[in-house]
Amino acid sequence: MSAPRGDGTREAGGDGPAGALRIAAAVRAGERSARSVVEEALSAVASGDSDLHAFVTVTADAALAAADEVDRAVAEGRDPGPLAGVPVALKDNLCTRGVPTTCASRILEGWRPPYDATVVDRLAAAGAVAVGKTNMDEFAMGSSTENSCFGPTRNPHDRTRVPGGSSGGSAAAVAAGFVPLALGSDTGGSIRQPAALCGVVGMKPTYGLVSRYGLVAFASSLDQIGPFATSVADAAHLLGVIAGHDRADSTSLPDPDPRPDFAASVGRGVEGRRVGLCLELVEGCAPDVVARVRRAAEDLEAAGAEVSEISVPEFRLGLSAYYLIAPAEASSNLARYDGVRYGLRVDGPDVAAMNTATRTAGFGPEVKRRIMLGTYALSAGYYDAYYGKAQRVRTLMVEAFARAYRQVDVLLGATAPSTAFPIGERVDDPLAMYMSDVCTIPSNLAGHPAISVPYGAGDDGLPVGVQVLAPALGEELLFSVAAALEAAAPAGGGPGAAAPVGSGGPEGAGR
Ligand code: GLN
């Protein structure tokens, strides 16, 4: 994993010995066997995950079999794929054939999907090896991974703190060095926020770029699958593998011709790029986080970008609109868990009683809260005042972004308002928890891509993430700016700074 360099900047993880690109190159060249790589990942998980709890299921036998298949391809001179032998972790809301997919909910207890998500198929076709399923907030509702029926995941940098959420298990698995790559889903920030809190790269693609087929639905108009990695180059590489049209997802975008080369955009630099430091995306953030974002803006300027400050007041409306639209869609999507079709069933004297008993026992408190909020917002008499108004706000946000992107090419801001908070601190205060996503939600509402890049440590020594936002299908631009940030990032808090696997103790390294 990347080590701090003498000049105060970090080596890109993708070039480090544990980076995905380096592993794939070695496996493809026959210098390392996929089996040895995967065995190493599995033993790191076995020795280090009992206190972190990043994984809820480890698929060791299937992973070793898949690794052997990669090694056979290499031995026989067949192309083993661009991610040959690279261990990956999958958020547990991605369907895996025959392997439990729980969404960290009791209601899916015992359910094994009969098919793989499209992204899972694409990873396998690229030679990547899935080693297991990661912990999350139940049905991806939350910002701390504490809303899991399996109990929380801990932050590898400080085990008394949350890893963020809802894809906290995937972020922690990468930050701890168990796997170089992971997939998560981002509906309101659930990739970028945990990436920031764990000191890794996390990216939400343009809505429709990555197929949602086989992603268990939370809020279908917002959900996107995206990569976690230790470097921008690795994230770009992973996105290249999972992106592209899929006829199984009706919202999947057609493939442009030529197809974008995300990995090639990484080295392009930022000369002449117009970067807008967005005031609403630092407003209300902790002073140490704001200082990091301001430092990032200066560093981009030094690298040749034209940096200005920009105000997009509509961003302040995002959180309220999101917490009507996302629960409304969730209340409809979660109606399918009725005790008949999936997982848990708690019997009752008639069907309605069985439905009620199943849902009462199967859903946790946050999921119930969202179903009630959403049902209320959609109910006759309140629909126009709540759901309808939130949809109109969503249109305002899209227009506000469009105005901003006439002035600048990308926006810069914080990913999360603070560094990782203590486990338990916000569980009884839903509003405080919801505020974690105030900076990430605008991109979801607009369907735009955004990325979080580790940018040194806060006053508490814990990772800070800086967020770059780009217009729809601006992934190449996004990766080029993110790579420039990565090259300039101050030491500390990054992927290499997490406590060594199995070292235990609340005082993570990098403090
Ligand atoms: N924290 C937000 C929520 O609870 C975002 C979740 C997500 O992106 N899946 O809705």
Side-chain angles (χ1 to χ4, degrees):
M1 195 100 345
S2 56
R5 285 201 303 243
D7 61 1
T9 60
R10 285 183 306 101
E11 246 180 79
D15 302 332
L21 287 171
R22 181 63 67 91
I23 291 172
V27 170
R28 289 172 61 83
E31 292 158 9
R32 273 193 88 175
S33 70
R35 176 169 265 268
S36 72
V37 175
V38 170
E39 276 172 351
E40 205 174 287
L42 290 171
S43 83
V45 173
S47 64
D49 199 40
S50 50
D51 61 331
L52 283 184
H53 196 212
F55 284 88
V56 296
T57 304
V58 177
T59 49
D61 293 342
L64 290 171
D68 289 344
E69 185 50 42
V70 169
D71 288 332
R72 247 191 314 279
V74 174
E76 291 168 7
R78 287 180 283 129
D79 185 350
L83 291 178
V86 178
V88 294
L90 304 169
K91 186 176 182 179
D92 208 24
N93 59 355
L94 295 167
C95 286
T96 41
R97 184 153 41 97
V99 175
T101 298
T102 66
C103 294
S105 181
R106 285 202 57 206
I107 209 147
L108 282 173
E109 212 171 75
W111 183 62
R112 290 169 191 255
Y115 65 98
D116 280 324
T118 296
V119 291
V120 173
D121 279 339
R122 289 189 180 177
L123 281 175
V129 177
V131 298
K133 311 292 295 287
T134 57
N135 200 15
M136 56 186 282
D137 286 299
E138 185 176 4
F139 283 104
M141 297 171 188
S143 305
S144 67
T145 315
E146 291 165 293
N147 300 336
S148 162
C149 72
F150 302 111
T153 297
R154 293 173 183 277
N155 190 313
H157 292 265
D158 178 343
R159 282 143 213 246
T160 68
R161 308 258 170 168
V162 302
S166 64
S167 317
S170 287
V174 172
F178 297 151
V179 283
L181 298 176
L183 291 183
S185 65
D186 191 312
T187 303
S190 278
I191 294 174
R192 291 161 287 159
Q193 185 260 10
L197 270 48
C198 288
V200 298
V201 175
M203 189 259 176
K204 183 198 92 75
T206 300
Y207 185 80
L209 186 66
V210 177
S211 170
R212 290 182 297 112
Y213 182 71
L215 167 66
V216 178
F218 162 12
S220 308
S221 78
L222 300 159
D223 300 339
Q224 261 300 278
I225 299 167
F228 286 96
T230 57
S231 71
V232 173
D234 276 1
H237 213 65
L238 177 53
L239 181 64
V241 165
I242 60 171
H245 181 68
D246 176 17
R247 52 196 293 263
D249 172 0
S250 63
T251 62
S252 169
L253 294 168
D255 285 330
D257 185 22
R259 286 183 66 161
D261 185 345
F262 304 124
S265 62
V266 165
R268 275 188 202 145
V270 290
E271 192 68 47
R273 289 292 181 203
R274 297 169 306 167
V275 175
L277 171 57
C278 181
L279 298 175
E280 287 75 16
L281 296 181
V282 287
E283 198 174 72
C285 294
D288 52 345
V289 172
V290 178
R292 283 308 185 198
V293 178
R294 292 201 172 274
R295 156 97 191 253
E298 287 163 21
D299 290 344
L300 285 177
E301 191 152 42
E306 287 171 26
V307 179
S308 57
E309 286 189 356
I310 184 166
S311 171
V312 190
E314 289 85 348
F315 284 177
R316 296 197 188 109
L317 307 172
L319 197 76
S320 319
Y322 173 88
Y323 275 101
L324 289 164
I325 294 169
E329 294 187 21
S331 69
S332 165
N333 274 324
L334 271 57
R336 72 191 68 180
Y337 304 106
D338 55 5
V340 177
R341 286 172 285 189
Y342 310 90
L344 185 74
R345 173 182 299 176
V346 180
D347 278 324
D350 56 33
V351 173
M354 182 277 287
N355 293 157
T356 305
T358 300
R359 290 168 67 85
T360 301
F363 291 136
E366 183 59 28
V367 172
K368 287 176 180 158
R369 181 180 294 121
R370 303 284 177 111
I371 292 173
M372 285 191 284
L373 276 173
T375 306
Y376 184 79
L378 290 176
S379 58
Y382 295 104
Y383 183 97
D384 287 339
Y386 293 107
Y387 183 73
K389 194 159 186 182
Q391 290 290 27
R392 289 196 291 281
V393 169
R394 191 169 184 180
T395 302
L396 281 181
M397 303 274 291
V398 172
E399 290 168 355
F401 265 114
R403 268 197 310 280
Y405 287 133
R406 284 198 281 276
Q407 283 170 257
V408 296
D409 299 315
V410 295
L411 294 170
L412 188 72
T415 305
S418 69
T419 56
F421 45 91
I423 290 176
E425 186 186 81
R426 297 185 192 172
V427 275
D428 296 323
D429 187 350
L431 283 182
M433 193 69 91
Y434 296 173
M435 286 304 290
S436 305
D437 298 298
V438 67
C439 300
T440 46
I441 280 171
S443 301
N444 297 84
L445 288 171
H448 293 174
I451 190 166
S452 182
V453 180
Y455 225 71
D459 293 345
D460 52 10
L462 293 169
V464 172
V466 166
Q467 190 184 195
V468 186
L469 297 75
L473 296 176
E475 272 79 5
E476 290 170 283
L477 178 59
L478 192 72
F479 283 124
S480 64
V481 176
L485 278 178
E486 178 179 60
V501 170
S503 69
E507 63 300 307
R511 305 210 61 188

